[in-house]
Amino acid sequence: MTSFLQATSYGLLQGGLLAMIAIGFSLVWGVMNVINLSHGAYVLLGAYIAWELHAAWGLDPLLGAVAAGLVMFGAGYAVQRSLINQVVNAPIFLTLLLTFGLQLVLVQGMAVVFSADYRSIATWYASESLPIGDVRVPSGRLLAFGVAILATVVLVTFMRRTRTGLAILATGMDRNAARLMGINARHAYALTAGIAAALAGAAGALVGLVGTFSPPDAARFTLLSFVISVLGGLGNMYGALLGGLVLGVVQAWAGQYLPGTWVNAVAFAVLVAVLIVRPSGLAGRAFYEARVEAT
Amino acid sequence: MTLLQVAGLTAGYGRVEVLHGVDLTVAAGEIIALVGANGAGKTTLLRSISGQVAATAGRICFAGADITGHPVESVVRRGVAHVPEGRRLFAGLTVRDNLRLGGWATRGTDIDRVLGLFPPLAARLTQVAGTLSGGEQQMCAIARGLMNRPKLIMIDELSLGLAPVVVDDIVRTLPDIAATGTAVLLVEQDVDIALSVSTRGYVLETGTIAFTGPSAQLRTDSRIQRAYLARPGDGR
Ligand SMILES: Nc1ncnc2c1ncn2[C@@H]1O[C@H](COP(=O)(O)OP(=O)(O)OP(=O)(O)O)[C@@H](O)[C@H]1O
Ligand SMILES: [Mg+2]
């Protein structure tokens, strides 16, 4: 029983972090209809930024997450503005190809610059374990979970309540109508990409805080983001949070009770099962149902 | 004072030319009707004015500036509101959020002012726009367009899919809108309604202006009566 609770709590904490990674992927998909295959590489870029800041100045990875978020916001904005905006109305095949290429370049680049060795950002507190009832949780994971949930809630509030957030949602729903309000769609798209990259980058710093990372992990983060986004319902931000938690827990259970190689297969089994029962995802409200494709 | 001046406008889609040298003017505070058969190019003309369709020849001047070729956002910021065919509300957002977005260009937040023109919307502010009735949707779309306090509002197919009483209600607000200093360019299938609410009218036929003049005069013109003013029993 304790091992079950232990696995479940571990899964929830990991799931929060996965949700923070996936939410930006889901946002970009929902608003721009772009499946950004380089999203996972953004996570690792954030991890390396935090690692370097920690190595150079001993900057705590929680502050490193803020720095990584800011840098990656700029990077995400610039990539969208200069590259992806050019093909955003093209067939989805083209954006897939472009972002897949970008992912390859980034992963190769990171392997060259940082080597393919596993790294982690060591802190005095990350592996201190806190007893909660019968289970013990590492404080680093608990902190990362707290930050991830906070970031998600802040994002949703920002999107729903602020002028800029509404403008992004509106552009996602009907790009031409948004432009008729005077909204600059290219800027709105770039902001969306920047926000997604910022969350991915900040989450990367947290990945480094709670475990190890190396460049090839990028593909896994992209894949998990994809699964979580579909689980949660396309573009649905709270759905992505829920999807992340579910996936984290299921993977933890699989890790506990099944041979190691089954973990990814189980993730996809869950995806297929959910889609059969609820085709529009766990949260079940297709926010972009009424989206009008740009003409 | 001339607010909008379209001179010799030629525009279309790709190699297909839809407008062949259109001339049209709107003065400040005026209500102008633009009518014509399906496919005549009315929507294309509005889309050209708001910068969504590029002009291949001719000029569009607005409030003293040449806006030919300007992107949509900048045309909107200069004071043109375009209520598109089919309304195009942000269906998943509330009425209030739709109105807030309407004020994007000028940071206009005065929702009460537009609710004064369309009182039924006041009770619907927290309702998701996609669930409004057709008439409420059209009110919301026009109200959204007014949030920037435009100098000109262009309304495409006001009556589309609406019951006649609802259309009358909405059309009755047009003079109030004009009285606040916002000129109205109304595209309308229902030629009778369009000509009764407007001061002047334009009849567009396959991309050129076939008739123009004071609306009262157009209504009694026998050619227009024959082609556009449905007699009882004709349907529409
Ligand atoms: N996006 C487009 N691409 C190519 N051709 C178009 C496009 N939109 C309209 N057209 C063509 O341009 C012509 C004029 O269309 P437009 O929509 O301007 O007419 P309209 O007067 O508004 O008609 P309606 O009363 O049916 O709304 C039509 O022949 C139409 O097929
Ligand atoms: Mg039309």
Side-chain angles (χ1 to χ4, degrees):
Chain A
M1 190 59 199
T2 314
S3 73
F4 174 76
L5 288 178
Q6 189 71 50
T8 307
S9 62
Y10 170 84
L12 276 177
L13 297 183
Q14 176 69 7
L17 194 49
L18 292 179
M20 183 176 174
I21 292 172
I23 195 162
F25 183 90
S26 176
L27 182 71
V28 164
W29 192 353
V31 169
M32 303 187 239
N33 204 20
V34 165
I35 296 176
N36 180 13
L37 294 181
S38 53
H39 192 74
Y42 290 176
V43 176
L44 285 168
L45 281 173
Y48 282 110
I49 290 168
W51 192 92
E52 290 290 343
L53 289 174
H54 182 259
W57 294 309
L59 190 71
D60 187 275
L62 291 176
L63 292 175
V66 176
L70 289 173
V71 172
M72 291 311 296
F73 176 86
Y77 187 99
V79 166
Q80 181 70 31
R81 202 73 205 229
S82 60
L83 218 58
I84 302 176
N85 267 350
Q86 317 303 325
V87 297
V88 79
N89 289 330
I92 194 149
F93 175 69
L94 211 59
T95 55
L96 282 176
L97 202 66
L98 189 67
T99 58
F100 182 66
L102 188 60
Q103 154 115 334
L104 287 181
V105 170
L106 289 176
V107 169
Q108 272 307 313
M110 283 188 284
V112 169
V113 175
F114 302 110
S115 88
D117 297 344
Y118 274 98
R119 297 191 190 191
S120 73
I121 307 172
T123 56
W124 60 268
Y125 55 84
S127 49
E128 292 287 309
S129 78
L130 299 172
I132 299 180
D134 285 345
V135 300
R136 303 188 69 84
V137 293
S139 54
R141 286 209 168 263
L142 204 58
L143 269 172
F145 178 79
V147 172
I149 301 296
L150 186 71
T152 306
V153 172
V154 167
L155 175 69
V156 177
T157 311
F158 171 79
M159 296 302 290
R160 284 303 201 149
R161 297 269 175 267
T162 68
R163 223 173 101 78
T164 307
L166 282 174
I168 288 174
L169 290 181
T171 309
M173 290 177 184
D174 188 335
R175 173 189 159 101
N176 284 340
R179 295 189 70 192
L180 285 178
M181 309 295 110
I183 295 167
N184 181 336
R186 299 187 152 268
H187 179 58
Y189 281 171
L191 277 181
T192 310
I195 290 169
L199 282 168
L206 301 177
V207 166
L209 170 68
V210 302
T212 59
F213 57 90
S214 85
D217 288 339
R220 189 168 55 88
F221 287 130
T222 300
L223 201 63
L224 288 175
S225 297
F226 183 90
V227 172
I228 291 169
S229 299
V230 177
L231 265 180
L234 173 59
N236 184 326
M237 289 171 284
Y238 276 130
L241 178 58
L242 187 62
L245 295 177
V246 167
L247 194 68
V249 169
V250 170
Q251 285 206 323
W253 287 343
Q256 182 81 15
Y257 300 112
L258 295 172
T261 46
W262 282 68
V263 173
N264 281 330
V266 167
F268 276 95
V270 169
L271 178 65
V272 171
V274 167
L275 288 183
I276 288 171
V277 183
R278 305 195 58 142
S280 57
L282 283 175
R285 193 163 57 98
F287 194 70
Y288 294 91
E289 212 161 34
R291 80 178 284 141
V292 179
E293 289 303 330
T295 48
Chain B
M1 191 196 76
T2 305
L3 177 65
L4 172 72
Q5 178 162 32
V6 176
L9 179 72
T10 299
Y13 304 91
R15 245 164 275 131
V16 185
E17 191 178 293
V18 174
L19 302 176
H20 322 284
V22 170
D23 297 306
L24 175 146
T25 60
V26 179
E30 230 183 349
I31 302 180
I32 300 296
L34 174 61
V35 300
N38 290 123
K42 307 178 295 293
T43 298
T44 305
L45 177 53
L46 295 198
R47 286 167 59 90
S48 305
I49 294 169
S50 60
Q52 299 174 85
V53 172
T56 45
R59 287 195 330 140
I60 304 167
C61 294
F62 184 75
D66 188 337
I67 58 164
T68 322
H70 283 209
V72 185
E73 302 87 45
S74 94
V75 174
V76 171
R77 230 168 287 127
R78 284 172 185 274
V80 176
H82 182 169
V83 181
E85 198 170 346
R87 289 118 207 183
R88 306 284 285 266
L89 292 176
F90 303 113
L93 299 180
T94 62
V95 171
R96 173 176 280 128
D97 286 344
N98 270 274
L99 295 179
R100 279 179 76 187
L101 284 162
W104 171 267
T106 58
R107 296 184 168 266
T109 52
D110 195 355
I111 289 179
D112 290 340
R113 184 179 55 91
V114 298
L115 292 181
L117 288 164
F118 300 104
L121 288 181
R124 307 266 162 210
L125 283 177
T126 55
Q127 190 172 329
V128 171
T131 62
L132 294 173
S133 74
E136 289 163 350
Q137 288 194 15
Q138 189 60 283
M139 290 182 204
C140 186
I142 297 172
R144 183 178 69 171
L146 291 170
M147 286 296 294
N148 279 329
R149 290 184 172 276
K151 298 190 184 83
L152 169 70
I153 187 165
M154 307 191 290
I155 306 173
D156 200 350
E157 306 284 11
L158 185 146
S159 71
L160 192 74
L162 303 183
V165 273
V166 180
V167 175
D168 284 346
D169 270 355
I170 300 177
V171 165
R172 252 195 292 276
T173 64
L174 297 184
D176 300 337
I177 292 170
T180 66
T182 298
V184 180
L185 178 54
L186 176 67
V187 166
E188 192 35 74
Q189 293 281 332
D190 190 324
V191 177
D192 197 28
I193 286 184
L195 291 180
S196 63
V197 72
S198 55
T199 47
R200 291 188 299 121
Y202 289 85
V203 180
L204 194 61
E205 275 176 8
T206 54
T208 49
I209 301 290
F211 307 98
T212 177
S215 299
Q217 208 170 309
L218 291 177
R219 283 178 92 183
T220 54
D221 189 302
S222 60
R223 290 163 304 177
I224 290 170
Q225 283 191 332
R226 221 173 305 126
Y228 298 102
L229 291 173
R231 288 161 297 268
D234 282 3
R236 220 197 267 161

